[in-house]
Amino acid sequence: MQIAKVCGTVVSTVKPRSMTGVKLLLLQFIDARGELLPKYEVAGDIVGAGINEWVLVSRGGAARIEDGFDNRPLDAMVVGIIDTITVENRLIYSKKDEFRGR
């Protein structure tokens, strides 16, 4: 899994029938220091993540393990919304602090 920040949404009206109803998000990946990386990806969302939230991203075949997604052409799936991340006893992210406006 990887950590990413939700930067936006992606809307596509022309797509395979199997993708109907799948919410798509534009994600920017984050490193272990909490810094944004210059890498973006579009991922399906099954947890209802919103703009600016930090999320867990499952990629490859693991992105399709959830029931009903095994036949969908997805390479990445948001599988969790992060509450906190601590690295070496240092809090690098807290959802509570982020949405308070730090």
Side-chain angles (χ1 to χ4, degrees), residues 1-8 22-29 41-51 53-60 62-64 66 69 74-82:
M1 279 192 269
Q2 292 183 290
I3 297 169
K5 180 178 181 179
V6 178
C7 296
V22 177
K23 179 181 173 185
L24 300 173
L25 297 176
L26 178 63
L27 307 176
Q28 184 174 7
F29 289 102
E41 184 157 12
V42 175
D45 175 30
I46 57 174
V47 296
I51 304 293
E53 287 188 298
W54 285 26
V55 296
L56 293 173
V57 183
S58 183
R59 299 178 75 206
R64 296 181 293 277
E66 185 66 28
F69 285 86
L74 293 167
D75 289 329
M77 182 72 75
V78 174
V79 296
I81 299 171
I82 296 171

Side-chain angles (χ1 to χ4, degrees), residues 59-102:
R59 299 178 75 206
R64 296 181 293 277
I65 289 177
E66 185 66 28
D67 288 341
F69 285 86
D70 53 335
N71 291 321
R72 296 180 192 224
L74 293 167
D75 289 329
M77 182 72 75
V78 174
V79 296
I81 299 171
I82 296 171
D83 295 310
T84 62
I85 298 175
T86 304
V87 176
E88 297 178 356
N89 293 323
R90 185 175 68 87
L91 182 69
I92 64 167
Y93 174 78
S94 170
K95 181 177 178 178
K96 182 173 61 173
D97 292 343
E98 184 71 20
F99 288 95
R100 246 192 230 153
R102 286 200 236 198

Side-chain angles (χ1 to χ4, degrees), residues 11-44:
V11 177
S12 174
T13 55
V14 179
K15 56 191 171 198
R17 210 171 332 143
S18 65
M19 292 293 290
T20 300
V22 177
K23 179 181 173 185
L24 300 173
L25 297 176
L26 178 63
L27 307 176
Q28 184 174 7
F29 289 102
I30 299 171
D31 69 15
R33 294 180 314 236
E35 302 293 326
L36 294 170
L37 298 170
K39 182 176 179 189
Y40 293 85
E41 184 157 12
V42 175

